Amino acid sequence: MTHLEEIAFEIISQAGDGKAKVTEALRQARKGNFGEAEDLLKEAEKLLLRAHQIQTDELITRQAKGEFNEPVTVVIAHAQDYVMTAMAMREMAKEIVNLYAKVRAI
């Protein structure tokens, strides 16, 4: 495994853990556990921020500086896609949790 692929798998790991927290937050909100849902979304935000920082620092910045001579692989593309989709999912989940809370209050 190349160094770039190791970085990609670390990004996937962080983003995957964040996405799992988002999914659990939605489950908790559906049950009416809004405090737990908010806590899970905060945990997800930290994990996804870490994944994004690795992506920026280890892939984008270093490649822009010409430090990588390795080709971009499907694993690297997947890692970048996974971070962005998980971040988008988190943003949508925030709105859905708010909607669940409003509906419950009616």
Side-chain angles (χ1 to χ4, degrees):
M1 183 180 322
T2 68
H3 180 63
L4 276 177
E5 288 173 330
E6 288 174 8
I7 293 167
F9 282 115
E10 180 61 24
I11 293 168
I12 292 166
S13 175
Q14 295 291 317
D17 290 347
K19 185 178 174 191
K21 297 285 184 187
V22 170
T23 301
E24 184 58 27
L26 289 169
R27 285 189 190 110
Q28 292 302 317
R30 191 170 41 243
K31 293 177 185 177
N33 301 328
F34 300 111
E36 180 70 17
E38 291 295 331
D39 290 345
L40 287 161
L41 287 173
K42 287 177 186 173
E43 290 177 41
E45 190 162 347
K46 290 177 186 174
L47 290 161
L48 295 173
L49 178 61
R50 178 70 184 130
H52 190 262
Q53 286 173 330
I54 295 168
Q55 177 185 20
T56 301
D57 296 344
E58 296 295 328
L59 292 181
I60 298 169
T61 301
R62 291 180 73 187
Q63 187 170 29
K65 291 179 179 178
E67 295 176 9
F68 287 129
N69 295 323
E70 300 173 48
V72 173
T73 65
V74 172
V75 174
I76 295 166
H78 173 64
Q80 292 183 303
D81 179 58
Y82 207 68
V83 171
M84 300 317 293
T85 55
M87 291 176 87
M89 184 178 171
R90 185 196 70 223
E91 292 304 313
M92 293 302 297
K94 286 181 187 179
E95 295 300 319
I96 292 168
V97 168
N98 286 333
L99 288 171
Y100 275 132
K102 286 181 180 184
V103 167
R104 186 156 295 233
I106 295 175

